Amino acid sequence: MAAILNATTPLFTLLIAHIATDTEKLNLRKAAGVLIGFVGVLVVIGMPEAKTSAATDLLSTLAPCAVLLAAISYGCAGVYGRRFSTTSPILTAAGMTSASSLMLIPLAAVVDTPWHLPVPSPTTIMAVLGIAALSTALAYILYFEILKRAGASNLLLVTFLIPVSAILLGVGFLGETLLMQHILGMGVIGVGLAVIDGRLLSAT
């Protein structure tokens, strides 16, 4: 459910960019492409199974809303980040990650109390450094560079590719099975991205 709700990010981004910018207006081709891509994500992941329990606690009710709020926030961040187009992507990424890290330190101290935790192993430390250097720092340098060149609407289409890359990595490194629904869903996502890009349609 979280993965499917997270895939609504491009939908919200299209609407936010349409309202907040003059250069990324919504049109029928973009809307159709995003909807096709979203259907592809549904095919890849599969619809969430209905819960048989009668749990209606506040947390389970608010959790989907929190994921949707995150998707909306991601769209807002992409549009807002356009104002840094004249700033070096390295500088923008460094400022964002540094500020967010400083904001998280007090929260992590209160919630995790790391001084009570065992000393992490070298493997864990290397994994954290890898996530920090490659999957966060380098990723956000690329994020702001692509944002400057392609705009928020095109950039946040990457959300459609997250389940695709996860499945391919799982098959390649974890021995997971590639199912027909995965292949079909990837194809649908590809069609959606091609429709949004528009060059394939104009060539025909």
Side-chain angles (χ1 to χ4, degrees):
M1 174 65 79
I4 293 172
L5 293 177
N6 184 60
T8 62
T9 296
L11 302 174
F12 290 118
T13 304
L14 279 179
L15 295 175
I16 296 167
H18 177 77
I19 296 171
T21 71
D22 296 325
T23 58
E24 296 187 50
K25 293 300 183 182
L26 181 63
N27 57 41
L28 183 59
R29 176 176 54 79
K30 286 184 177 181
V34 168
L35 290 175
I36 292 172
F38 182 71
V39 170
V41 172
L42 291 178
V43 174
V44 170
I45 299 174
M47 291 298 293
E49 297 180 0
K51 293 183 177 179
T52 57
S53 64
T56 56
D57 60 289
L58 183 62
L59 183 60
S60 64
T61 302
L62 293 179
C65 297
V67 179
L68 281 177
L69 181 60
I72 296 172
S73 299
Y74 201 16
C76 291
V79 174
Y80 183 82
R82 286 165 46 93
R83 65 178 54 199
F84 301 105
S85 59
T86 57
T87 306
S88 167
I90 295 178
L91 183 60
T92 308
M96 187 199 70
T97 53
S98 299
S100 58
S101 298
L102 290 174
M103 293 170 62
L104 285 173
I105 287 175
L107 182 62
V110 171
V111 174
D112 294 328
T113 57
W115 50 88
H116 292 150
L117 299 176
V119 177
S121 66
T123 302
T124 301
I125 294 175
M126 293 301 294
V128 171
L129 290 177
I131 292 173
L134 298 177
S135 301
T136 304
L138 178 59
Y140 272 113
I141 293 173
L142 296 174
Y143 174 95
F144 286 109
E145 180 63 33
I146 297 173
L147 178 62
K148 179 169 64 175
R149 298 188 181 193
S153 300
N154 289 327
L155 171 65
L156 294 177
L157 292 173
V158 70
T159 313
F160 288 155
L161 299 178
I162 291 176
V164 175
S165 60
I167 288 172
L168 294 179
L169 288 171
V171 171
F173 294 96
L174 300 178
E176 296 179 352
T177 303
L178 184 64
L179 303 176
M180 182 55 66
Q181 77 176 68
H182 299 152
I183 298 174
L184 179 60
M186 292 177 195
V188 175
I189 291 174
V191 170
L193 295 176
V195 170
I196 295 169
D197 180 71
R199 284 177 288 186
L200 184 61
L201 295 177
S202 63
T204 58

